[in-house]
Amino acid sequence: MDIDLLKTFVEVVRTRHFGKAAENLYITQSAVSFRIRQLEQGLGVNLFIRQRNNIQLTAPGERLLPHAQMIITGMQRAKVDVALADNMHKQVSLAGTPNIWDAFLQFGITNIVSAMPGVSLVAEVKAQQESTRLLLERTLDLAILFDPPKVDELVVERICTLPIIPISAFEGAANENFFDNQYVYVDWGTTFSLWHARQFTGRTPPYFRTSTGRIALDLILQCGGSAFIPEVLAKPHLDKGELYCVADVEHTSRDIFVAYHRDNEQKLLLETLVNLLVELTPNISSEFSAK
């Protein structure tokens, strides 16, 4: 089966639009339609229900999607593996959610690369559910997550705790107005959502919602507001007096976990990588961190 047909199928699923898929793939819309017809003819099923401005997957299309994604990812890894430079002997792939990259991985990925000579590192941004699926399919070696997957086939280890503090662009902000003054909700995972629901009872709906702390931080710096932000991200702005920690709002934290398949053939290499990740734990002292 032509891998380009599967790539086109996945892109149409992602965009729900033949024209947008064509733009993203740098081909014509008629070429996209032709490829989808070829794929449908080869499989003997209809993959999409085509309605004006409403493209939906059929049941066979839903079943094909995870297989197509797995094949594409596998091919990409195979190409990288075959093309490894002579001085590279191993390849390791790791993935983290956007918030993991913002608050943790970005501060030490260069140290990991320099500490692992001879290893080709593939680092990606993946959602929690996708990372878990790729680990089980053996197309991802290591995932760094806030919410540990409860799957018997995976080894899960806690590597550090990330302090998350209430910050505001307004000096003098306090508990009574923290949630009501352009509050930005950041999704720090399931455990945080449950904790947050208890704090937020009866409050005005958030001014803005986002899945990444970096977006929230930039928005607050530009437009004002408040949010729960990792201390490691907020500290430079707190030190400059651009933001303020709201002391009488309850602080919280998130544990960071790594997960990998217990039958991974590179288990020793992954354990080395996990140890390097432990060393990345943000070393920022604060009243909250000391508690």
Side-chain angles (χ1 to χ4, degrees):
M1 185 180 293
D2 189 341
I3 193 72
D4 286 336
L5 302 186
L6 293 177
K7 288 181 179 178
T8 303
F9 166 71
V10 170
E11 190 62 27
V12 172
V13 173
R14 191 182 71 82
T15 60
R16 300 288 173 166
H17 194 282
F18 277 52
K20 291 178 182 177
E23 291 177 9
N24 294 341
L25 294 169
Y26 299 100
I27 59 177
T28 64
Q29 185 169 337
S30 60
V32 169
S33 298
F34 179 71
R35 288 181 180 182
I36 296 300
R37 283 199 304 272
Q38 277 188 297
L39 188 58
E40 289 178 327
Q41 289 169 2
L43 295 172
V45 296
N46 291 325
L47 298 172
F48 294 101
I49 300 171
R50 298 167 175 82
Q51 298 175 345
R52 184 175 179 83
N53 298 322
N54 184 21
I55 297 176
Q56 299 294 327
L57 280 170
T58 62
E62 294 279 4
R63 290 194 292 271
L64 174 63
L65 182 58
H67 297 290
Q69 292 170 327
M70 180 179 65
I71 291 169
I72 293 169
T73 302
M75 281 296 297
Q76 290 171 339
R77 290 198 65 187
K79 287 180 179 179
V80 173
D81 192 44
V82 170
L84 283 178
D86 291 339
N87 63 333
M88 296 292 184
H89 309 296
K90 296 285 186 179
Q91 175 185 300
V92 175
S93 60
L94 67 86
T97 62
N99 267 332
I100 290 288
W101 279 102
D102 284 346
F104 180 64
L105 282 175
Q106 67 159 319
F107 295 101
I109 192 66
T110 54
N111 294 337
I112 291 175
V113 172
S114 61
M116 301 182 74
V119 176
S120 174
L121 190 65
V122 180
E124 301 177 288
V125 177
K126 299 285 185 185
Q128 164 96 19
Q129 294 83 354
E130 184 180 7
S131 291
T132 301
R133 176 176 60 80
L134 293 175
L135 288 174
L136 294 172
E137 293 171 354
R138 314 286 188 93
T139 54
L140 178 68
D141 292 313
L142 192 74
I144 301 94
L145 308 161
F146 281 129
D147 297 308
K150 296 178 173 60
V151 182
D152 291 340
E153 292 92 335
L154 301 181
V155 175
V156 178
E157 298 179 20
R158 175 188 166 278
I159 57 173
C160 73
T161 298
L162 186 73
I164 297 178
I165 62 175
I167 59 102
S168 175
F170 307 115
E171 188 174 9
N175 181 63
E176 58 267 19
N177 59 17
F178 177 78
F179 291 102
D180 302 321
N181 200 351
Q182 296 185 193
Y183 174 66
V184 179
Y185 175 80
V186 185
D187 183 3
W188 294 108
T190 303
T191 302
F192 175 83
S193 297
L194 295 173
W195 174 86
H196 185 273
R198 295 193 296 271
Q199 313 300 315
F200 200 75
T201 303
R203 305 284 189 173
T204 304
Y207 162 70
F208 190 86
R209 290 176 178 267
T210 178
S211 61
T212 68
R214 178 63 63 184
I215 291 176
L217 186 61
D218 290 345
L219 181 66
I220 290 170
L221 288 169
Q222 294 294 323
C223 304
S226 58
F228 286 97
I229 299 291
E231 186 179 30
V232 67
L233 278 180
K235 189 175 188 302
H237 304 287
L238 295 172
D239 292 344
K240 293 177 184 177
E242 298 171 337
L243 297 174
Y244 307 92
C245 181
V246 185
D248 60 348
V249 173
E250 185 175 346
H251 293 36
T252 187
S253 64
R254 287 307 324 264
D255 287 335
I256 295 178
F257 300 86
V258 294
Y260 57 90
H261 201 288
R262 64 176 63 256
D263 294 328
N264 192 299
E265 296 177 354
Q266 303 189 102
K267 190 172 182 180
L268 291 178
L269 189 58
L270 294 183
E271 289 174 351
T272 299
L273 182 52
V274 170
N275 289 334
L276 289 171
L277 288 168
V278 170
E279 294 173 6
L280 294 187
T281 303
N283 185 23
I284 296 179
S285 61
S286 71
E287 182 179 343
F288 172 72
S289 300
K291 290 181 180 180

